Amino acid sequence: MSQQDDHFSKIKVEISRRQIMKAALAGGTALLAPSFAWAQTASGLLRVGIRQEPDSFNQHTMQFVMSFEILSLVYEMLVGRGSDGNLTNSALAESWTQSDDGVSWTVKLKPDLKWADGSELTVDDVVSSLKFVMGADKAGVALNTTSVVKGVVKDVEATSKDTVKITTEFPTQSIFDPIYIVPRKVWREIGYDKVTEFKNPTPIIGSGPFVLKEWAQGQSVTLERNPHYRGPGPNLQELRFLHFSNPDAALQALSGGEIDYMTDVPINQVEALAGTPNVVAKAFEGYRSVYLGFNTWKDKGAGSTTALADPAFRDALGYAIDKKAIVDRVLRGYGTPATSILVPAYGALYPDLSDIVRPFDLSLAKEKLAKAGYSDSDGDGVIEDKQGNPIRLRLYLPDVETTYPAIAQFLTVWFRQVGVEVVTSVVSEASLLAKVADPRQGGGDYDMLIWFWEDSKPSFPLSVFESGQIGGLNWSFWSDPEYDRLYQEYKRAASVEASASVAGKLARRLYSQGPYHVLFYPNTLHAYRTDRVSGWHDDKVPPLMNGVYPNPTINDLKITG
C-alpha cells in the first residue's frame, strides 16, 4: 500500500467511525427531543423533512435553494415552465406572441386572476414586478433576477386591462426566465434603499397554490392552500416543511411515520431505507453541481493570499483534485465527476470539455505551481506566494451537508502533497452567507468554500459569474470582461443550437480561469411514504426541486392515511 493509499484508508475508517457513532446516537433521546408538535397526523397535511433552513423569503435577495423551492409554491411567474424546459401556460399568461421583428412580446393574462386574499391581480402588478427588477441596476443594487433584464428588456407597459407588452433590445425568449409576480400593494412602498433589508413577513400571499402562513425559524415553514387558486389542485390543505439539523433524526421521523417526505437523504442510508415498509427511497436525476469555490477578490475582503486571485494558481490546484475518487469513495457512486457548472440534465446545453479536462496528476500540479511562481523556498514543505508568505488556505463548509467534511479531508491530503496547507472549518449556512456577501460591504475574508448550485435553467448558473452579480450571487467575486461579453451574447441567442454554442464558450472560460472547480454532479436522494400519501409521480426528477412551475407533483398529492 502506498503512502497516499494509507492516507485514504485512514480517512475512510474515520468516516465509517463517525457514521457508526451517528447511527448509535440516533437511538438516544437527545435526537428524539424534537418529536414534536409536528408529529400529529392531520387530514390534508403533508409533512416534509428538509435539511436546509430557508435563509429568507424576500424573492429579490434570498439565496438558498429551499427558499426558492418554497416561495415558488406561493408566487407565480408570468409564464410557466415544464420538465422539458419548454414554456407553458400553467402560470399567469394565457398566451404570448412575438412581433415580426422579434423585439417585442405581447402577453395576455388569464381572466379573473386573483391574489390569495381574494383581491384582483392586474396588469399593474405584472408591470410593477418587472420594472422593479429593471431599475435595480441603475440604483446600484444587485437583485437575484437582475441578469434576466439587464441589457435585455427595454420597456414594459400595459396595453390593455389584460395585456402586457415587453420590448427587448434584441430578439430573445430569455425574458421568460423566472421573475416572480408579486402584489404591487405590498411591494410599492419598498424602495431600492429598503429592499435588501425587507423581510417580507408572513403571511405571504401570492397567486400560486399556497399561502405562506408561518415561518418559525429553525423549526418549520407552514403553507396553507390558496382558496382563490384557479386550479386544478392542490388537494393538500396544508404543507409543512420541518427543519432537521441532524439527518439521523429526520430518518427516524420518516421511518416512524412522523414525516411523509424527506429531501437530501444521506448517501449511506439510501439502501437501508429501501427495505423500510411503505417507504420509497431512490436516487433522482438532479440539477445540482457541487463546487470548490475561491475568493478571487483583490481588495478589502480578499483571501489570505494574493495567489487566490491568480488564475494560474487556481488552475494548478485543479490537477490536485481526483474527482472520480470523491464520487467513488465519498458518494458511493451516487454522482458523476464534473467538468462544468452546467449539468448533464441540460441536454444540448451541457458542454463537451473533454479536450481541456485536467487529469489528476500531483506531479504536474507541483510543476505548474512552480512555473507560476509558487515554490517552497525554505524547505518546510509549504509553498510560498509571491510576497514570500506560506500558503495556508482556509476552507469553509456548510454544516448541513454530511459528505463535505469527507471531501475536505481528501482535498487536504492532495493539496498538502503539492505544498498547500488547508485548514477546514464547518460553519452554519448563515455564517457562510456572511462571508460571501459583498466584500465592499464587509463580506469576504475567506479563501475557499464547498457548496452547490441547483437550478433547472442553465441561464441561472451562468448568470452567477457576471461582474454585476458581485454583491449578489457571485460569491467568488470574480470579474472577467470577456465572460460578461459572452453572457450578453448568450442572452441574444435565437435558437437552442446558438445557445449551446455560446454556453460552451462560457463554460470553457470558467474552466480555464477557475473561480470554481466543479467537483461532481450528485444524484438527488429523496424518500417518501406511500401508506399515508398517494399521487407520487414516477418521474426521473424528484417531487421537490424539479424545476417545474407550478409543481405538478405537489398539486396531485393526496393524504389517504
Side-chain angles (χ1 to χ4, degrees), residues 29-69:
T29 56
L31 292 185
L32 290 176
S35 214
F36 305 116
W38 333 323
Q40 82 258 7
T41 299
S43 176
L45 167 63
L46 180 73
R47 303 157 301 178
V48 182
I50 58 175
R51 297 266 302 285
Q52 185 183 67
E53 165 81 352
D55 65 307
S56 169
F57 289 118
N58 178 337
Q59 74 276 8
H60 293 305
T61 59
M62 62 188 185
Q63 300 188 57
F64 286 180
V65 169
M66 193 49 63
S67 296
F68 284 93
E69 185 67 36

Side-chain angles (χ1 to χ4, degrees), residues 66 434 485 511 557:
M66 193 49 63
R485 184 193 69 78
Y511 194 92
L557 293 180

